[in-house]
Amino acid sequence: MPETQSGVDELIIDVSYDSVFNVAQIEIINYGDTAQTLKEVHAHLRDYCIKKSDVIFLFLDMSKPLTAVLTERFE
């Protein structure tokens, strides 16, 4: 798991957009700082809402403890 010098895990998000189907995908591969994670995900969600994407998929790793804590805040 990538870790920064401060000991906090590095945030890794994979984002993709399919213009043919107007579908976006956001996958959180590794959580970083909680505030940074929320900020990044909300920024991507806002961008795809502005683009009027038909569907935005948010993929979360259910094996990570932070998923349970942050899931409601992604809505």
Side-chain angles (χ1 to χ4, degrees), residues 39-74:
K39 182 180 175 182
E40 289 285 326
V41 170
H42 284 141
H44 289 297
L45 288 171
R46 183 176 46 253
D47 290 344
Y48 290 123
C49 285
I50 290 170
K51 288 182 179 180
K52 298 184 190 267
S53 297
D54 291 327
V55 179
I56 303 170
F57 291 107
L58 177 60
F59 295 97
L60 306 172
D61 186 347
M62 299 306 288
S63 69
K64 300 200 183 231
L66 271 177
T67 299
V69 175
L70 295 178
T71 300
E72 186 176 330
R73 297 182 70 184
F74 290 133

Side-chain angles (χ1 to χ4, degrees), residues 1-11 30-33:
M1 203 176 295
E3 195 172 291
T4 61
Q5 291 179 357
S6 65
V8 176
D9 288 339
E10 180 183 354
L11 175 62
N30 195 54
Y31 292 100
D33 173 66

Side-chain angles (χ1 to χ4, degrees), residues 16 29 34:
S16 62
I29 296 169
T34 302

